[in-house]
Amino acid sequence: MIIDAHSHVHDPVHRHIALLDEAGVDRAVLFSTRPHPERATDLASLRREMSVLDETIGGQVGGPDDHQAARRELSSACAAHPDRFIGFGKVRLELPARRIAAEVEREIVSRGFRGIGELTPPPDGAGRIEPVLRAAADHGGLPVVVHGFAPTTAGDLATLARLARRHPTVPLVVSQLGGLNWLTAIELARDTPNMYLELSTANIVFAVRLAIDELPDRTLFGSDAPYGDPLLARATVERVTVPGALRDRVLGGTLAELLGL
């Protein structure tokens, strides 16, 4: 089974399905999203969508209506295509720990989602995810995915590694291979048994090769679609691996084990 470990809701959803079909991808982990760059028709409209992305990854909190709309989009896409999408739900990091625990119960576990993410703490604010990790542990070790590209800092990656070691039953996935700090991300994950690296939007192919070599059982193929492309992301993994068990694990086997598929 080929599983894209990182994608966001597309509008319309059928365009995402077509991308997965083209890439030969069986299923995709699906996150909610406020920005929709795939809706853009020109530079001005793309700038508007990307400004929302900048707010989101910078840790700025949208209004309740924004969050509810994103959740509805995610639930609708997963309900329409349960054979293709694996839903992960997002929680608001600005809430007190007790409310975060309640949101994990209500918005993720009760809805049948398989994990939590993609979380976007503000720069140098990765410590805010600890209440989420506690809640994930309380529900049998739900996987937690955290944004890894800029503005995530090297200090944030070190914080994530410390928190992962503090909550060893929770698989903590750093997305986008840690962005520009990919070498630090690989080093930290290598020494943290429950820390995983998702490989989308890597800047150089060598980074993907090194990550897989160092973490053969804890690297995950992902596209970050619509920002990335499933076909190209899969081709990158296949470019740095040979056919066989290792490639199969990276392209979906490891994630299937984590999710009990």
Side-chain angles (χ1 to χ4, degrees):
M1 183 183 296
I2 309 297
I3 308 173
D4 184 341
H6 187 145
S7 68
H8 298 272
V9 176
H10 286 45
D11 180 22
V13 175
H14 70 77
R15 291 183 183 172
H16 192 184
I17 297 292
L19 290 174
L20 297 177
D21 289 343
E22 180 186 19
V25 174
D26 300 297
R27 304 188 72 180
V29 168
L30 195 63
F31 304 127
S32 62
T33 184
R34 290 195 294 136
H36 278 285
E38 74 281 3
R39 291 174 178 166
T41 57
D42 53 26
L43 183 58
S45 58
L46 180 59
R47 281 191 178 277
R48 286 194 295 271
E49 296 295 340
M50 296 304 283
S51 70
V52 179
L53 175 65
D54 288 343
E55 293 174 359
T56 300
I57 62 177
Q60 296 183 39
V61 180
D65 291 344
D66 294 330
H67 286 283
Q68 288 302 322
R71 284 170 172 166
R72 285 194 298 270
E73 286 181 340
L74 176 64
S75 294
S76 177
C78 291
H81 303 278
D83 58 328
R84 304 305 298 273
F85 294 137
I86 303 165
F88 273 43
K90 190 171 183 178
V91 296
R92 293 177 294 165
L93 298 178
E94 77 278 8
L95 298 176
R98 182 177 298 179
R99 289 192 61 189
I100 285 176
E103 282 220 346
V104 169
E105 172 69 40
R106 181 180 65 252
E107 299 295 340
I108 295 166
V109 177
S110 295
R111 293 179 183 272
F113 291 146
R114 305 301 292 266
I116 303 171
E118 177 187 18
L119 301 180
T120 53
D124 295 315
R128 294 191 185 186
I129 77 160
E130 185 159 25
V132 180
L133 297 179
R134 287 199 296 267
D138 289 341
H139 291 283
L142 291 170
V144 176
V145 180
V146 183
H147 180 80
F149 208 89
T152 300
T153 66
D156 285 323
L157 296 176
T159 297
L160 293 174
R162 287 196 298 271
L163 293 177
R165 291 191 288 270
R166 196 177 296 170
H167 300 277
T169 65
V170 177
L172 178 59
V173 181
V174 175
S175 65
Q176 297 112 356
L177 193 46
L180 298 179
N181 299 302
W182 59 268
L183 189 56
T184 297
I186 293 171
E187 292 170 338
L188 289 167
R190 182 190 58 197
D191 299 330
T192 309
N194 58 318
M195 193 170 178
Y196 294 72
L197 296 180
E198 181 269 312
L199 301 170
S200 66
T201 63
N203 289 287
I204 56 176
V205 172
F206 182 78
V208 177
R209 177 185 291 113
L210 181 62
I212 293 172
D213 286 347
E214 292 290 332
L215 300 161
D217 295 322
R218 288 185 283 126
T219 41
L220 309 173
F221 151 66
S223 70
D224 200 4
Y227 304 96
D229 183 273
L231 181 63
L232 298 179
R234 178 177 178 178
T236 300
V237 171
E238 293 179 340
R239 181 66 172 170
V240 301
T241 59
V242 298
L246 173 59
R247 177 186 288 180
D248 292 345
R249 289 195 64 82
V250 176
L251 288 178
T254 295
L255 184 57
E257 288 181 3
L258 284 179
L259 299 177
L261 300 178

